[in-house]
């Protein structure tokens, strides 16, 4: 178990998860509904960062501005894109 001395959604958390799965960050996707989590995915140079907007249009824009590659209201929205 790892302890994280920085903020909860540090990119270190995502980077360690990718490493433990044997996946390069550039080949992985981060799914996050928090601005700090989206920023962490962006800072970790992940291939895609999906922002899950559970609030309103302004929050969706904030997720996009924070670095989300795409913003959806529900993960099922991703199924409709394929």
């Amino acid at each position: 178990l790892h302890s994280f001395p920085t903020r909860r959604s540090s990119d270190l958390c995502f980077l360690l998860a990718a490493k433990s799965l044997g996946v390069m960050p550039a080949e992985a996707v981060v799914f996050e509904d928090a601005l700090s989590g989206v920023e962490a995915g962006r800072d970790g140079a992940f291939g895609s960062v999906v922002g899950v907007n559970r609030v309103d249009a302004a929050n969706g824009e904030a997720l996009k501005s924070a670095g989300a590659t795409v913003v959806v209201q529900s993960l099922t929205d991703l199924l409709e894109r394929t």
Side-chain angles (χ1 to χ4, degrees), residues 17-43:
K19 183 177 180 178
S20 72
L21 293 170
V23 178
M24 297 297 298
E27 298 171 347
V29 179
V30 170
F31 296 88
E32 259 296 341
D33 62 351
L35 292 174
S36 60
V38 168
E39 291 168 350
R42 177 201 64 209
D43 293 348

Side-chain angles (χ1 to χ4, degrees), residues 1-6 8 12-20:
L1 188 62
H2 297 280
S3 100
F4 300 97
T6 58
R8 181 175 153 252
L12 179 60
C13 179
F14 293 134
L15 292 169
L16 286 171
K19 183 177 180 178
S20 72

Side-chain angles (χ1 to χ4, degrees), residues 37-72:
V38 168
E39 291 168 350
R42 177 201 64 209
D43 293 348
F46 282 80
S48 291
V49 180
V50 177
V52 183
N53 180 18
R54 301 176 188 270
V55 185
D56 56 24
N59 186 65
E61 288 300 317
L63 290 167
K64 187 75 170 167
S65 294
T69 310
V70 64
V71 176
V72 297

